[in-house]
Amino acid sequence: MISNQEKKILVQNAIKVYKNAYAPYSRYKVGAAILTDDDNIYTGSNFESAAFGAGVCAERVALGTALSKGERKFKAICVCGNNVNITPCGVCRQALAEFNDIEVICCDEHGNTKEYFLSDLLPYSFDSKQVIYNIIKWHSEK
Ligand code: THU
């Protein structure tokens, strides 16, 4: 479990980028901050597009930024929406499940929080073992 101090900083970071979300179509702003094992924090906000499918959720922007810096191990992610009942969408849950199980802190812009574990939000997630098994099977059949 992350400390209360780590949680406070993560929440502050998510709230900060929540305000920068580019969401002119849904008007639903989201900010995310992901904490790595080495205590680095990367942030992201959702962005939308006139070509609706081209937008990306805040969580995957934060995760992608962390990955592009070489990070691979995470402790927690904080997601900020306009109320505390926000939770990451299914696609973001699956994208995060590629890595280790993490705490998911959901908050509103005032800092009220609700907390979960990713494995509770996405039980029985699809994982790399399935893909690797398939590749091995394919090679052995060649
Ligand atoms: N959104 C996120 O950024 N994260 C979530 O977990 C839920 C949804 C964004 C996508 C879209 O820009 C807007 O919120 C409304 O769905």
Side-chain angles (χ1 to χ4, degrees), residues 26 28 30 46 48 57-59 87-89:
S26 72
Y28 192 86
V30 185
N46 61 323
E48 299 178 348
C57 293
E59 296 90 323
T87 56
C89 80

Side-chain angles (χ1 to χ4, degrees):
M1 298 280 277
I2 64 168
S3 68
N4 283 341
Q5 181 61 14
E6 283 177 314
K7 196 186 304 172
K8 195 175 157 195
I9 293 168
L10 205 57
V11 167
Q12 281 170 352
N13 273 273
I15 293 173
K16 201 169 168 190
V17 291
Y18 164 81
K19 299 178 175 116
N20 297 334
Y22 178 73
Y25 304 103
S26 72
R27 304 228 163 239
Y28 192 86
K29 293 184 170 209
V30 185
I34 192 163
L35 176 67
T36 71
D37 259 23
D38 299 334
D39 295 323
N40 294 319
I41 292 177
Y42 299 90
T43 57
S45 19
N46 61 323
F47 65 88
E48 299 178 348
S49 164
F52 284 0
V56 182
C57 293
E59 296 90 323
R60 275 174 292 142
V61 174
L63 175 64
T65 303
L67 293 174
S68 73
K69 296 286 182 187
E71 304 284 5
R72 295 293 185 268
K73 286 190 175 152
F74 306 102
K75 289 199 275 200
I77 188 166
C78 177
V79 186
C80 176
N82 69 358
N83 76 75
V84 75
N85 292 319
I86 184 174
T87 56
C89 80
V91 175
C92 290
R93 293 178 197 199
Q94 184 64 57
L96 291 164
E98 180 75 14
F99 306 95
N100 49 306
D101 193 15
I102 55 172
E103 290 180 62
V104 179
I105 299 150
C106 299
C107 74
D108 64 17
E109 54 191 310
H110 308 294
N112 299 306
T113 59
K114 283 195 178 182
E115 292 160 41
Y116 312 88
F117 275 98
L118 183 60
S119 54
D120 294 324
L121 293 177
L122 189 67
Y124 307 107
S125 65
F126 186 77
D127 67 49
S128 60
K129 285 195 286 297
Q130 299 291 323
V131 182
I132 291 163
Y133 171 77
N134 209 46
I135 292 168
I136 292 167
K137 191 165 163 276
W138 177 70
H139 275 282
S140 68
E141 284 166 2
K142 273 203 298 187

